Amino acid sequence: MYKLEDIKVIHLEITSKCQASCPMCARNIQGGIENPYISINEISKEQFTKWFPIEFIKQLEKLYMCGNLGDPIIAKDTLEIFEYIRSLNKNIKLSMNTNGSARSSQWWKELAGLGVVVRFGIDGLSDTHSLYRIGTDWNKIIENAKIFIDNGGVAEWDMLIFKHNEHQVDDCKKISKELGFQKFNSKNTARFKDNQLTVLNTKGQTRYKLYPTNKSQIITNKMETLIISEINCKAVNDKSLYVSANGNVTPCCWLDNEWYRPDHPNRIEYVDLFEDYLNLHKLLLEDIFKKSVFNKIESTWKSCSPLKECTRQCGKVDRFNEQF
């Protein structure tokens, strides 16, 4: 697939901790109780410096913290790790995705000085935002974003569109410009099933329901046939690597077994297939690349049984048939 010296991008899951309870996040069950299959981990600066050699950090072009499960602002050493990376690699692109609802003014000022691009997840205005971003404070997020921007930070506004906030897209875009956000990004989520999601409380009781935007209704009365002709792997194209909060190393976040749930066996299929956990608590980064797991993953793409998650995420559709 690629060699250690070829890696240019690291997707770092610095923590699986988060103060939010977004109902589509695998860390909890529909916004209620925590997923019992998820372990809570965090990467310290000490671990980071041990795991990633100085010369390796110098060869990187980009490192970003985007949580599959957690939020970078919750980790204790996020700022210190960014500082360490910047001290070794002046030209590296640093970024992170966050709900933005934590940390002090001073913390955000220091982050702005490190040239870290921050993508704030803000899903509407104060009356709708926390219907999905449960446990976050819209006013605190806007305050933090303003401090970050006013101190030279480059920020982007990421908005997930649902039925309950679709009427606020234009207003959010306007506010983002007024505050100095460099970009406004909006998108629908493909995680709905049956066009709705029941949000639960910590006792497993129904709180309310969320629905997709009217512009992205899921059609459930048709059968689809997808023929996958090839795997166009984004990790290979980007020369990237994913590292989870528990030290797992995989080509991308989609293959990390940290995401395991009984209804999501694709997440750990490659681990079961090759019986090999690549983890920085057990192996040095260079030793991980000496194993043949990454090449074995690629070898499945040319077989009759490519990894299901590779097919799902990076499969190129050759033919699409619909039967109503």
Side-chain angles (χ1 to χ4, degrees):
M1 183 177 286
Y2 37 60
K3 299 177 181 178
L4 179 59
E5 56 266 29
D6 294 330
I7 298 298
K8 298 299 180 185
V9 179
I10 293 293
H11 175 186
L12 185 70
E13 171 93 19
I14 190 173
T15 184
S16 53
K17 299 176 184 178
C18 187
Q19 87 280 35
S21 300
C22 302
M24 289 180 176
C25 176
R27 195 174 47 79
N28 63 77
I29 299 175
Q30 295 172 232
I33 64 173
E34 292 189 357
N35 185 344
Y37 298 96
I38 297 297
S39 58
I40 303 300
N41 299 282
E42 185 169 303
I43 299 172
S44 67
K45 181 184 176 182
E46 182 182 6
Q47 285 177 323
F48 184 87
T49 56
K50 288 181 178 179
W51 287 355
F52 301 104
I54 292 176
E55 289 306 313
F56 176 74
I57 294 175
K58 289 182 177 181
Q59 80 183 38
L60 295 176
E61 297 177 356
K62 179 179 180 180
L63 182 143
Y64 64 101
M65 298 182 187
C66 179
N68 274 346
L69 302 169
D71 193 300
I73 62 174
I74 301 301
K76 177 179 177 293
D77 291 344
T78 294
L79 188 62
E80 288 74 12
I81 289 175
F82 275 135
E83 288 175 340
Y84 175 71
I85 296 169
R86 180 62 74 199
S87 70
L88 297 174
N89 190 332
K90 301 297 183 183
N91 296 319
I92 189 172
K93 295 179 180 178
L94 298 174
S95 65
M96 75 174 190
N97 293 56
T98 178
N99 62 54
S101 186
R103 291 293 186 176
S104 66
S105 298
Q106 184 60 34
W107 192 92
W108 286 103
K109 289 178 182 178
E110 291 182 31
L111 185 68
L114 294 172
V116 179
V117 176
V118 177
R119 300 183 71 167
F120 291 84
I122 312 175
D123 301 332
L125 301 178
S126 59
D127 60 330
T128 61
H129 165 79
S130 60
L131 288 174
Y132 180 73
R133 306 273 176 176
I134 299 171
T136 66
D137 185 327
W138 189 88
N139 291 310
K140 174 66 173 175
I141 297 165
I142 296 300
E143 177 186 340
N144 288 340
K146 191 173 188 306
I147 292 170
F148 178 74
I149 293 169
D150 289 348
N151 283 274
V154 175
E156 298 183 17
W157 181 314
D158 283 358
M159 179 178 180
L160 285 176
I161 305 177
F162 301 91
K163 185 176 182 179
H164 64 264
N165 66 4
E166 62 183 358
H167 62 290
Q168 296 179 334
V169 174
D170 289 342
D171 286 338
C172 289
K173 187 173 184 179
K174 180 181 178 181
I175 293 174
S176 74
K177 290 182 178 179
E178 292 174 350
L179 291 174
F181 282 84
Q182 296 292 311
K183 289 184 180 180
F184 178 84
N185 311 300
S186 62
K187 65 178 182 180
N188 304 327
T189 174
R191 296 183 182 181
F192 275 104
K193 294 181 180 179
D194 299 323
N195 281 324
Q196 64 178 9
L197 173 69
T198 300
V199 179
L200 305 176
N201 62 21
T202 55
K203 295 181 179 180
Q205 301 167 328
T206 298
R207 296 181 63 187
Y208 49 83
K209 292 187 177 183
L210 298 180
Y211 301 92
T213 172
N214 290 329
K215 298 179 181 179
S216 64
Q217 290 291 307
I218 301 171
I219 300 174
T220 58
N221 64 338
K222 70 179 181 181
M223 295 178 60
E224 301 175 352
T225 301
L226 301 179
I227 307 299
I228 307 299
S229 62
E230 63 180 281
I231 304 295
N232 185 21
C233 179
K234 188 175 187 299
V236 170
N237 295 339
D238 293 346
K239 298 181 179 179
S240 65
L241 202 65
Y242 170 77
V243 179
S244 74
N246 70 354
N248 285 342
V249 179
T250 55
C252 69
C253 63
W254 300 108
L255 292 178
D256 180 30
N257 73 297
E258 179 78 357
W259 269 69
Y260 173 72
R261 294 184 323 205
D263 61 340
H264 240 312
N266 293 2
R267 298 290 184 192
I268 59 169
E269 181 195 26
Y270 91 99
V271 175
D272 289 343
L273 183 63
F274 301 118
E275 299 180 352
D276 205 341
Y277 288 81
L278 304 179
N279 189 284
L280 288 166
H281 285 293
K282 302 175 182 178
L283 297 167
L284 295 175
L285 188 61
E286 60 183 280
D287 292 332
I288 286 176
F289 274 81
K290 290 178 182 178
K291 291 180 173 291
S292 57
V293 174
F294 293 166
N295 290 329
K296 287 180 180 177
I297 292 173
E298 186 174 21
S299 70
T300 70
W301 302 342
K302 300 178 182 178
S303 71
C304 297
S305 301
L307 293 186
K308 293 184 180 66
E309 199 64 27
C310 294
T311 299
R312 180 171 177 265
Q313 301 299 334
C314 294
K316 181 180 178 182
V317 178
D318 190 46
R319 187 166 73 248
F320 180 77
N321 295 329
E322 297 181 354
Q323 294 179 345
F324 292 88

